[in-house]
Structures are given as structure tokens and as C-alpha cells.
Amino acid sequence: MAAKKYNAAVLGCAHIAVRSLIPEFFNSPRFNLAAIASRDPGKARAAAERYAGVSWGTYEQIIHDSGIDLVYIPLPNSMHYEWTMNALEAGKHVLCEKSLVTEYAQAEGITAFARAQRLLVAENFQFRFHSQHRWTLDALAARKIGEVRMFRSSFGIPPLPADNIRYSKELGGGALLDNGAYPLKALQVILPGYNFTMKAATLRYGDSGVDISGGMYLDCPEGIAAELAFGMDNFYQCNYEIWGSIGKITANRAFTAPPGFRPRIIFETADGVENMEMPADNHFANMLIHIAGCLDTGDFEGEYAQNLRQAAYINRALELASATVERR
Ligand SMILES: NC(=O)c1ccc[n+]([C@@H]2O[C@H](COP(=O)([O-])OP(=O)(O)OC[C@H]3O[C@@H](n4cnc5c(N)ncnc54)[C@H](OP(=O)(O)O)[C@@H]3O)[C@@H](O)[C@H]2O)c1
């Protein structure tokens, strides 16, 4: 018997939605792309008309449509909490773009409500579902680099046009929530068995009032150090490196390997260097299969825990960085 398909609606014709998630929902074996919403009815209609059978409307109309199971929210960060809660109150499961919240208390509120209503809230870090990381996780489990000593990860991009949402304080912009969230998430995905505590964070602010670049330092009781760096006025970097007692693993396109692209993993030991081209994969499609699997089982605790942990780290980075700024 074919697996059940869930009806999904998209809230806002964001770049990420138009470029990636709308086509992936449309082509997914586990979702029907049912509706697209926009502040501008013309935009919603134009986006919907590119896909057979997709309806369109306002955000309010779409979340109250009784045929919709899950709402995908690719709005600016400052709107994630409000529209996640609106969708939950309307009885919908939610896939929300990163960063899910701008304050830890919002993550607690979302989780308590979602849990009480038995609804899923997942934060969209699709890189979690790229098969290149399976190679790294298997290599770590097989102790191919011995004991882990250090985790380093960077995600930085060159400047964007000045009117981009990432430069707006009001819209929840800033490099920490946009780019820094990835190395933080990667630490949890690649070294999931460790309890890292954040010890230091630095944010550099630009004229727009949002943080433009920064770094974080964490460690854990086993003595592993983690250095994370990010920015949106930077030479492009999208990597992680795990340095062990007898080797090192580096992934150079860790977060944004598009469907069809073959990322490389470099594995170094005293015996030599292997520069491996990994298979291409579609992390968007894999993520939708994972989300549908959560809906099939009704087990949402794993996603809730990840949402809370990520929000707690972001909160801690903001606290530590503001203390640094005050000391300058
Ligand atoms: N997972 C990923 O790989 C990935 C990649 C890029 C971005 N993102 C995340 O996705 C979200 C959107 O990013 P984006 O770059 O795609 O943004 P974007 O193109 O600027 O889209 C944001 C959308 O939000 C809606 N919106 C509602 N109120 C708005 C307001 N006051 N100002 C601006 N837009 C408003 C607009 O849709 P309508 O006009 O149609 O209503 C707009 O198209 C962010 O949270 C970002 O962090 C994730």
C-alpha cells in the first residue's frame, strides 16, 4: 500500500520557497503541494499557477483551510514565532525555516503548545539529511580519526544587497541567526553524544544594527574544543573539520550542497590523504521524507528537543557576545 500523502501549504513566496521547497513539496512522494500564500494575492496566484492543482490565498486563509495538514513557514525570522503559533492554533503541523525563534522563551512556548496539541514543529536545517554526513558519522564511529580533539566549522557568505531581510533588525536579521545557526547545528549533528557548553561568543555589528560576523567557542566534559565562525561580509566558507588523535575529516560543502552536486570529504591520516567525491544527494527531498515519517509515527519529541537545544545555544551566544561588547 502506498504511504499516506500529507497536504502542505507554503506561507510566503520567499526565495528559498520558490527556488527549493515549493518544487520539492510538489515532487515529494509524501506531500501534496496544496496551497501557496502571499501578502500579495497576485504573487501567490502567479506562484501557484506554475503547479497543477495548487490553490492560493492570504496567510490567514491558508492556515485555516481544513484540508491542510502542514504549513511551511519561510518568513523573516522575526515572524516565525507568531506564524508558527498561528498555524499550531489552527491545528496544523509546522515546518519552519531557521532560525525558528529569536528568543529562547519563544521556543519553550512553541514546544509546550505543540506538545499539548500533538503537533509537529520542525526547524528547517535540511543539511542534516545529506548522505555525505553519514560517511563522517560512520568514520567517527569506526574511530578512523581516533579520539576527537577538536571540531571547527564555518559558514560565511559575501555581502548581500542592502535591502535583504538579513540586514533588518526588525525582521530578525543578523549573521548569528542566519549563518551562525549552521555551525552550531553541525556540532550537534556530527558530535551528538557530547554535552557542549558555550564559553565565549563574539558578534561584530554593522551600520544596519544587526550582527554581521562572529564566532563561538564551546567545550564539553571530555575536553573536546569547538570553534565556530560565521558572517555575511566574508569570503564564502561552508565547512566543518573534525580533528582527532590520528586523523582529520574535512567537509567543504557541508550545508548547501544542492541536488546533483557531489561534495568532497577529505580524510587525512599519517598514511596519506583521501580526497573523496561523495555521491550527489537531495537533502530537501530527504528532509520531507523525514518530516512525513514523524507525522506517520506521531513522535515529535526528537524535533522538539533539537529546537530547544538550538534556541538555548543561540540565546547563550547573544548573552556572551553582549557581555563582550560591554567590556570593550
Ligand atoms: N534552509 C535554507 O536553506 C534557507 C535558505 C535561505 C533562507 N532560509 C530562511 O528562510 C527564511 C526566508 O529567507 P529568504 O532569503 O528566502 O527571504 P525572502 O526571499 O526575503 O522572503 C521572505 C518572504 O517573507 C514574506 N514577508 C512577509 N512579511 C515580510 C516583510 N515585512 N518583509 C519581507 N518579507 C516579508 C514575503 O513573502 P510574500 O510577500 O509572498 O508574503 C517574502 O517573500 C529566513 O528565515 C531564512 O533564514 C533558509
Side-chain angles (χ1 to χ4, degrees), residues 3-11 25 29-35 55 61-73 83-84 86-96 117-122 288 291-292 294-296 300:
K4 174 180 164 132
K5 274 186 139 186
Y6 296 96
N7 291 327
V10 178
L11 229 57
F25 272 116
R30 297 303 316 274
F31 285 94
N32 295 310
L33 175 65
S55 67
Q61 284 168 340
I62 295 301
I63 63 168
H64 290 108
D65 179 335
S66 61
I68 301 295
D69 302 303
L70 175 135
V71 176
Y72 165 60
I73 303 180
W83 283 98
T84 294
N86 288 346
L88 292 173
E89 281 165 10
K92 311 302 183 200
H93 301 287
V94 172
L95 172 64
C96 183
Q117 302 300 315
R118 297 169 190 266
L119 293 169
L120 173 69
V121 178
L288 293 186
I291 297 293
C294 292
L295 300 183
D296 291 343
F300 308 144

Side-chain angles (χ1 to χ4, degrees), residues 11-17 19 37-40 43 59 72-77 79-80 97-99 124-126 164-166 171 177-178 182 284:
L11 229 57
C13 299
H15 282 113
I16 180 65
R19 189 181 65 222
S38 173
R39 296 170 297 178
D40 172 354
K43 209 178 358 167
Y59 298 175
Y72 165 60
I73 303 180
L75 298 174
N77 293 334
M79 300 173 71
H80 289 174
E97 269 307 337
K98 37 59 61 176
S99 283
N124 186 22
F125 282 103
Q126 70 271 352
N164 191 283
I165 57 169
R166 288 157 185 77
L171 295 177
L177 291 176
D178 195 61
Y182 283 89
F284 297 105

